[in-house]
Amino acid sequence: MKIMHIDTSAKIAEKSNSRMLGQFFLKQLQQQNIDLDIDYLDLTKDVQPHLTSEFVVATYKPANERTTEMKQVLAASDVMCQRVIDADALVCAMPMYNWTIPATFKTFIDTIIRTGVTYDLFPDGTTQGKLKNKKVLFITTRGADLRSGDFQHMDAMTPVLKASFGFLGVENPQFVNAQPLQFADQEARTQALARAKEELTYIAHKWASEL
């Protein structure tokens, strides 16, 4: 099973709960005797560039009409798209920053949403994503508890992830949200991480049973 494992936390591994939980999930999979091929991407070190006018123009130009310069502009995106396409599953671990996804993951999304590569655009304006059969797991960490109460309406992370990957054909992405963490006492943090680990263990067993 080939997994593209993506980390986005700005914290170093020893202090990052999202990085820790991502590694925990992979270990649970390995304990199910699954042969894993891990393609690791750390978006704090391999930061994808922001969109440019040249990139947008090249993207919508038919492949057989692209200039050498256009092909060069798209080269890094081509490679990243192929890594995503080659994976059987994506495991994306990220903290919530200011109520939404890290900026580095947004540029990753911009890099892999490509006409004719990860989705098709038809003459009538309709689209169809090409990642339909992939498993996608989002492991998120949140400082506050957004399950209910005053902060519930401030979760801008879940909608953008569902919309972006739904556009690419991912119908049922799975979410494990560890919350509350930073803005909670030690007991609540411990319970949040324990809940997340329990959910990740369940998902690991489920993935193994589906192979």
Side-chain angles (χ1 to χ4, degrees):
M1 183 180 195
K2 185 166 187 177
I3 293 181
M4 188 172 188
H5 173 208
I6 304 172
D7 272 326
T8 64
S9 175
K11 293 181 179 179
I12 59 175
E14 292 80 1
K15 296 181 179 180
S16 168
N17 286 312
S18 65
R19 290 175 183 268
M20 178 274 292
L21 290 172
Q23 290 293 338
F24 175 85
F25 177 70
L26 295 180
K27 288 179 182 178
Q28 299 308 302
L29 278 180
Q30 290 170 335
Q31 290 177 6
Q32 305 305 308
N33 295 318
I34 297 177
D35 184 16
L36 296 182
D37 179 6
I38 306 296
D39 178 14
Y40 182 63
L41 173 64
D42 187 340
L43 287 173
T44 65
K45 297 178 180 179
D46 190 358
V47 181
Q48 303 305 296
H50 290 286
L51 294 184
T52 63
S53 174
E54 292 80 7
F55 182 94
V56 173
V57 170
T59 294
Y60 288 105
K61 196 76 169 177
N64 62 348
E65 298 179 17
R66 288 174 187 152
T67 65
T68 300
E69 290 75 16
M70 288 178 175
K71 293 176 183 178
Q72 291 173 345
V73 166
L74 296 176
S77 172
D78 289 339
V79 171
M80 191 61 69
C81 287
Q82 193 60 52
R83 289 173 68 177
V84 171
I85 291 168
D86 288 344
D88 299 308
L90 305 181
V91 175
C92 309
M94 68 190 75
M96 174 180 278
Y97 287 153
N98 299 316
W99 316 112
T100 190
I101 62 176
T104 52
F105 199 77
K106 176 59 169 67
T107 55
F108 169 76
I109 289 173
D110 292 338
T111 297
I112 66 167
I113 294 184
R114 288 279 306 280
T115 310
V117 181
T118 52
Y119 78 95
D120 287 322
L121 174 62
F122 301 109
D124 63 357
T126 60
T127 63
Q128 182 175 340
K130 294 188 172 186
L131 306 186
K132 185 175 182 179
N133 296 321
K134 293 192 188 301
K135 296 180 182 296
V136 176
L137 171 63
F138 295 111
I139 303 170
T140 81
T141 53
R142 292 112 180 271
D145 194 337
L146 281 74
R147 291 174 296 175
S148 62
D150 294 340
F151 293 117
Q152 186 177 17
H153 72 285
M154 298 182 74
D155 178 6
M157 170 181 267
T158 305
V160 74
L161 290 173
K162 285 185 175 180
S164 299
F165 283 81
F167 181 78
L168 295 177
V170 179
E171 297 176 347
N172 295 299
Q174 294 175 283
F175 286 81
V176 172
N177 305 315
Q179 57 188 345
L181 293 176
Q182 185 172 351
F183 306 122
D185 58 37
Q186 185 58 51
E187 182 179 358
R189 290 197 294 270
T190 299
Q191 292 175 352
L193 291 174
R195 284 194 302 271
K197 288 181 177 180
E198 183 177 356
E199 292 177 38
L200 291 170
T201 300
Y202 172 79
I203 293 173
H205 280 84
K206 191 170 187 301
W207 281 21
S209 70
E210 293 170 348
L211 290 178

